[in-house]
Amino acid sequence: MHTDGSGNDYIEAADRTLDATYEEPMSLGDYVETLLSAPHRGAHAPKYLLAAIESAGTRTVIEEGDEKERYRFFDDPWNDGEHAILGNTEVLNRFVDDLRSIAAGRGKDEKILWLEGPTATGKSELKRCLVNGLREFSKTDEGRRYTMEWNVAGLDSSPGLTYSDEGTMGDEDDWYESPVQSHPLTVFPETVRDDLVAELNERIDDHIPLRVDGELDPFCREAYEYLEEQYRRDGVEDLFSAATDRQHLRIKNFVVDIGRGIGILHSEDEGTPKERLVGSWMHGMLRELDSRGRKNPQAFSYDGVLSQGNGLLTIVEDASQHSDLLQKLLNVPDEGRVKLDKGIGMDIDTQLVIISNPDLEGQLNQHVEREGQDPLKALKRRLDRHRFTYLTNLSLEAELLRRELTDETSVWDASTWDQLEEWIRAPLSVQVRRADNTVRERELAPHTLEAAAMYAVVSRLDTTDLPEDISIVDKALLFDRGYLQDGDERIDIEDVEFDGSGRNGEHGIPVTYTRDIIADLLHEESDRFHQEFDVESVMMPRDVLDAMAERLADAPVFSTTEAAEFEERIAPVKEYTFSQQEEDVLNAMMRDKRVDEATVEEYVEHVYAWAQGETLENDRGERVDPDPLKMKVFEIEHLGRFTEDDYTGNQPDDAVAEFRTEQIITALNRHAWRNRDEEFRVSAVNPKEIPVIKAVLGNYDWEDIKRTYEDFDPHQWDNPPTGTQTERLKQETIQNMQELYDYSEATAELTSRHVMNQVSYKWS
């Protein structure tokens, strides 16, 4: 929005927003014309919910090593991802599949969708996502949602139509909206409505037909019957037209929200089952209204969860707190009806969803030993469970942990693994307020959040299905990216035989534990931190990992067995984290020695020409004669794979020839095959982007350092003598770590010291 900064500009912008959201109320006839041109606007609850989810589109993600299509609806795009559900894509997709079946009437109409899982797995975020998404969808042309409102004022001296005690009202205030968002088409007689819905379905452009079942809600039915009776007394012939005339009935669109199309029963809500489900009678109103010796539905509160959720969605949050209510919901999905009282029923069009922790399952199984006599068997048959689990993707856990510690909400939607890897390893700067009200800066070094996330993920993975050559950290990496890269060897998850019986993500370290550990460390005055730099405290990966392991036994959330099990898994995570830090240091040390892209491309062209034994033409139209010397120099100096002993003159021996054939040509061909299009065309290949070449050229080791810097001594790294090669190399390395990987000077110094301290033990 562009403004000149005046207050009126913002007021006008708000006006434009609301003008686009709301339509003028219309007559029943105009509403029918609207539906005939846009039938989707008359969708029943599950169909509307499905349309809202699908309207946001999808994106591709990798979870547990598999590529999946994910509905962007669950990324909470309307709030910049503030309540996005991270992971559990397969569970969410099955949830949507069930909605599709229910909407189409394919056998799951009687089901109550049950979302179950341990704390901090995204169930509460799903509730917020549904509320946000449905609210925003209802503001769009595609998602308009309609109900009806009535006006009976002036027909006689009755107290008028009301469901609350608001006192006297003017003309516009004589209009009363359906308290339960009733579908406007329910005002038609059933046979007429069936014909109208059939015509709408002939015009609809998808495979899920509209369904409009049931009758007017009791409040609206009271209004209609009152109007019909008055006009019958007056001898009017066209009773339906008279009772539904624009002066008495108008159709209006509304914005879906909690209480208006979305009903949420919270864990702390109280009352009798009927009060929680549909509402309660207002006895003062019963006395005021002329009810002719019976209860008047206009004196009902309609504040129960089903009343509020009628027309769209009903959520029972923390369902174990309302287990007594669940049995009362048994027949709601398949019958679509509840009672306000013995003689007053209400038809319901809503999608029932219950959310619980695993403790609800224990309550449902309390009579399981009675087998056929289990009183909860009918309820359990109607529950369709979708189990949320802890995240088992490193990138998702790192993203979630970063969200927990900062105000960052944007969903990570990387186009390449390199981009995602950069976000995972990124540092974090946090300002912490002291008890004396001063503010200090604390810095989490690169790989700190990654290490904490990896430890949490590793604690959640089942080890019973691990092949002998795959570690628990390897499994975590396979789940995150779908492959492992070790030098020039690539292992895809399809090549690894997990037996499929692993219970991954069902227990482990929750993100809340990790978050609280880091939050405590940020506020601690401890010698564990490194306070010799400009920032007051630097937190390193090993600081967080040590604290997470040390405090497991004291955390009430873990059993003694779990604490012992998780503590044993920290060693491989520390090894992995050190390897990441070591790689950063090595790449920073060798930055100026990296081979340029043109040299790599030239080498590959010469290898191809060598394999063919003839001159070839490259993509630029140049003729390439295989040059034995150029290939030899590249393989010795840049790849570091061979020495002069591996050649006779410039001619390669068998090991070099096999390397060129198997590790270069075959790998390039395989990469080209994987990246073909539907017509088997192969786009131009950048050799440096091919995993095998990238791994060979990008992964340095300490032999490369020894060969390149003959006078380097890691024992001198902390305080290198003036004028030595070690001093110059350290200065360049610290600078390169800041430029390449976003280290600060302090974290680069501490990380390189830690790496050199380990390397010096085995340096000869």
Side-chain angles (χ1 to χ4, degrees):
M1 179 185 71
H2 178 72
T3 74
D4 60 9
S6 69
N8 287 335
D9 284 342
Y10 291 98
I11 299 239
E12 291 171 4
D15 285 337
R16 288 194 299 272
T17 299
L18 292 180
D19 288 344
T21 298
Y22 294 102
E23 299 175 353
E24 285 293 322
M26 67 183 85
S27 69
L28 181 61
D30 289 340
Y31 170 70
V32 172
E33 289 297 326
T34 297
L35 287 190
L36 290 171
S37 61
H40 61 273
R41 292 190 178 184
H44 52 293
K47 180 178 173 65
Y48 184 89
L49 178 53
L50 179 66
I53 293 171
E54 292 179 336
S55 69
T58 62
R59 65 185 178 95
T60 303
V61 298
I62 294 178
E63 289 180 26
E64 294 199 354
D66 293 330
E67 207 171 78
K68 298 178 172 69
E69 285 300 308
R70 176 182 178 84
Y71 291 98
R72 290 184 181 273
F73 181 94
F74 300 114
D75 293 338
D76 194 21
W78 311 274
N79 294 286
D80 194 28
E82 181 179 358
H83 298 298
I85 307 158
L86 301 185
N88 281 296
T89 293
E90 192 171 332
V91 179
L92 295 171
N93 287 348
R94 287 198 298 268
F95 173 77
V96 176
D97 289 342
D98 274 358
L99 281 178
R100 190 172 289 110
S101 296
I102 293 169
R106 292 197 293 263
K108 286 203 170 186
D109 294 46
E110 82 285 0
K111 291 294 186 180
I112 300 173
L113 300 183
W114 175 19
L115 302 169
E116 181 248 28
T119 57
T121 52
K123 303 187 303 300
S124 295
E125 300 304 317
L126 174 62
K127 177 195 68 178
R128 296 185 180 98
C129 241
L130 288 168
V131 173
N132 292 341
L134 292 170
R135 181 196 300 122
E136 296 305 317
F137 183 60
S138 69
K139 295 177 182 178
T140 67
D141 285 339
E142 185 74 14
R144 291 276 189 258
R145 201 69 174 151
Y146 298 90
T147 189
M148 63 188 89
E149 54 183 359
W150 297 85
N151 186 341
V152 300
L155 282 181
D156 68 4
S157 58
S158 72
L161 179 69
T162 181
Y163 50 86
S164 63
D165 188 7
E166 296 290 344
T168 59
M169 296 164 284
D171 292 342
E172 186 61 29
D173 288 337
D174 289 335
W175 287 97
Y176 284 90
E177 184 179 331
S178 164
V180 292
Q181 307 79 231
S182 278
H183 197 298
L185 293 188
T186 56
V187 74
F188 283 98
E190 185 176 355
T191 56
V192 178
R193 183 176 68 232
D194 290 346
D195 291 341
L196 175 53
V197 171
E199 183 174 350
L200 292 174
N201 282 326
E202 289 177 1
R203 302 182 181 214
I204 207 161
D205 57 359
D206 65 27
H207 65 286
I208 299 178
L210 298 180
R211 295 205 312 264
V212 183
D213 302 319
E215 302 175 350
L216 281 173
D217 69 81
F219 178 89
C220 294
R221 186 164 62 248
E222 187 80 9
Y224 175 81
E225 290 177 352
Y226 170 77
L227 290 165
E228 184 185 274
E229 180 181 351
Q230 295 300 313
Y231 281 113
R232 183 185 298 112
R233 288 177 180 176
D234 293 341
V236 175
E237 293 184 1
D238 299 325
L239 291 177
F240 183 81
S241 296
T244 60
D245 185 81
R246 176 68 171 74
Q247 66 176 319
H248 297 307
L249 171 65
R250 62 188 187 187
I251 310 303
K252 61 179 289 187
N253 78 298
F254 67 95
V255 173
V256 170
D257 211 332
I258 297 175
R260 303 191 72 195
I262 301 176
I264 299 180
L265 188 62
H266 302 91
S267 59
E268 65 272 18
D269 289 340
E270 298 178 345
T272 66
K274 190 179 77 172
E275 288 173 335
R276 283 176 283 162
L277 280 177
V278 288
S280 59
W281 294 102
M282 300 180 289
H283 297 289
M285 291 302 300
L286 280 172
R287 288 192 298 270
E288 289 186 25
L289 292 172
D290 178 13
S291 303
R292 300 182 296 281
R294 62 178 177 80
K295 286 185 176 178
N296 191 326
Q298 296 162 5
F300 199 76
S301 67
Y302 297 99
D303 57 4
V305 66
L306 288 175
S307 300
Q308 295 183 17
N310 186 42
L312 192 49
L313 178 66
T314 298
I315 299 174
V316 178
E317 186 182 53
D318 198 4
S320 59
Q321 301 297 317
H322 298 284
S323 56
D324 64 321
L325 196 71
L326 297 182
Q327 293 189 69
K328 303 293 184 182
L329 291 171
L330 272 180
N331 297 321
V332 172
D334 44 350
E335 294 182 5
R337 189 171 178 82
V338 293
K339 285 189 174 182
L340 310 186
D341 214 320
K342 292 180 181 179
I344 305 175
M346 180 168 67
D347 291 312
I348 293 291
D349 176 29
T350 189
Q351 179 55 55
L352 274 168
V353 175
I354 68 170
I355 299 174
S356 80
N357 291 330
D359 50 358
L360 177 61
E361 184 176 11
Q363 295 184 39
L364 294 175
N365 290 330
Q366 60 182 306
H367 305 295
V368 69
E369 73 282 353
R370 295 168 61 177
E371 298 181 351
Q373 302 301 314
D374 185 350
L376 298 177
K377 189 174 183 179
L379 171 61
K380 289 189 285 186
R381 182 179 64 80
R382 281 173 168 81
L383 293 176
D384 195 358
R385 179 163 59 180
H386 299 272
R387 189 190 299 273
F388 274 62
T389 60
Y390 289 123
L391 299 176
T392 54
N393 274 49
L394 169 64
S395 55
L396 290 173
E397 185 69 13
E399 180 181 1
L400 180 58
L401 185 54
R402 198 173 190 91
R403 282 166 164 263
E404 292 285 331
L405 293 167
T406 69
D407 294 328
E408 297 177 18
T409 59
S410 296
V411 174
W412 291 0
D413 190 7
S415 56
T416 65
W417 171 253
D418 287 347
Q419 186 179 27
L420 192 58
E421 194 170 39
E422 182 180 334
W423 294 339
I424 294 170
R425 64 184 304 285
L428 180 64
S429 181
V430 181
Q431 289 191 328
V432 179
R433 187 173 295 277
R434 286 175 164 154
D436 60 6
N437 215 32
T438 59
V439 176
R440 63 181 167 198
E441 180 186 358
R442 285 203 153 167
E443 183 179 0
L444 278 68
H447 301 294
T448 301
L449 291 184
E450 177 186 13
M454 176 62 86
Y455 187 31
V457 168
V458 160
S459 74
R460 303 166 186 169
L461 297 180
D462 195 331
T463 59
T464 60
D465 62 352
L466 281 179
E468 290 185 3
D469 55 344
I470 297 294
S471 71
I472 190 71
V473 167
D474 290 337
K475 183 175 182 178
L477 295 174
L478 279 168
F479 275 14
D480 201 38
R481 65 182 72 166
Y483 67 90
L484 295 174
Q485 191 77 43
D486 183 13
D488 51 14
E489 181 182 0
R490 174 179 167 124
I491 302 174
D492 291 302
I493 195 167
E494 294 85 1
D495 303 326
V496 180
E497 294 185 5
F498 295 118
D499 63 18
S501 64
R503 297 167 64 87
N504 301 300
E506 294 192 5
H507 78 300
I509 296 175
V511 68
T512 48
Y513 173 80
T514 311
R515 176 203 63 198
D516 292 346
I517 291 292
I518 295 176
D520 288 345
L521 293 177
L522 287 171
H523 289 86
E524 284 181 1
E525 299 288 351
S526 172
D527 293 337
R528 86 161 63 240
F529 298 117
H530 315 277
Q531 302 182 0
E532 55 191 284
F533 303 99
D534 291 339
V535 291
E536 293 199 28
S537 172
V538 175
M539 194 184 301
M540 301 296 289
R542 59 186 180 275
D543 299 326
V544 174
L545 291 176
D546 287 343
M548 289 178 70
E550 289 168 3
R551 303 182 190 187
L552 285 170
D554 297 328
V557 71
F558 305 122
S559 67
T560 304
T561 303
E562 285 177 322
E565 177 189 351
F566 300 157
E567 190 173 357
E568 290 178 357
R569 298 193 182 190
I570 199 169
V573 177
K574 285 187 172 182
E575 292 174 8
Y576 165 78
T577 304
F578 176 77
S579 71
Q580 298 298 98
Q581 295 174 308
E582 183 181 37
E583 183 177 336
D584 288 353
V585 173
L586 283 167
N587 287 337
M589 295 175 77
M590 295 292 287
R591 182 183 186 183
D592 296 336
K593 307 300 179 182
R594 286 180 175 273
V595 61
D596 61 80
E597 188 171 318
T599 303
V600 177
E601 189 172 343
E602 181 185 44
Y603 168 71
V604 171
E605 290 173 351
H606 280 268
V607 170
Y608 264 100
W610 166 82
Q612 296 295 323
E614 59 184 9
T615 300
L616 297 178
E617 186 174 299
N618 62 22
D619 294 338
R620 300 181 299 280
E622 302 167 345
R623 296 185 64 79
V624 178
D625 292 314
D627 187 324
L629 179 58
K630 284 185 176 181
M631 288 184 282
K632 172 184 173 181
V633 169
F634 187 92
E635 288 158 354
I636 292 176
E637 294 187 1
H638 296 306
L639 297 183
R641 299 292 297 260
F642 305 104
T643 66
E644 288 283 354
D645 296 337
D646 296 304
Y647 301 84
T648 303
N650 293 330
Q651 297 303 315
D653 64 11
D654 291 344
V656 178
E658 182 180 359
F659 170 79
R660 292 177 183 175
T661 302
E662 298 298 328
Q663 302 299 324
I664 303 298
I665 295 174
T666 300
L668 285 169
N669 290 340
R670 185 186 303 117
H671 183 73
W673 175 254
R674 285 175 177 156
N675 289 275
R676 69 194 185 281
D677 62 18
E678 293 180 355
E679 298 179 9
F680 290 86
R681 293 175 301 190
V682 178
S683 57
V685 175
N686 177 1
K688 289 194 74 173
E689 290 303 315
I690 298 169
V692 63
I693 297 293
K694 187 175 181 179
V696 170
L697 297 180
N699 288 348
Y700 297 104
D701 58 27
W702 295 105
E703 292 302 318
D704 295 318
I705 301 296
K706 287 181 181 180
R707 185 176 64 253
T708 307
Y709 304 105
E710 295 181 355
D711 295 328
F712 167 69
D713 185 357
H715 300 87
Q716 300 175 344
W717 189 267
D718 286 2
N719 295 289
T722 304
T724 62
Q725 187 180 54
T726 302
E727 182 192 41
R728 291 191 299 272
L729 182 56
K730 179 177 180 178
Q731 292 172 352
E732 294 171 0
T733 300
I734 298 297
Q735 183 66 32
N736 289 338
M737 290 175 71
Q738 295 176 68
E739 294 175 3
L740 289 173
Y741 304 120
D742 205 21
Y743 280 84
S744 65
E745 182 179 359
T747 55
E749 174 73 33
L750 290 168
T751 300
S752 62
R753 284 187 188 181
H754 177 56
V755 170
M756 293 304 171
N757 183 52
Q758 300 300 313
V759 169
S760 61
Y761 286 118
K762 52 188 178 183
W763 192 266
S764 58

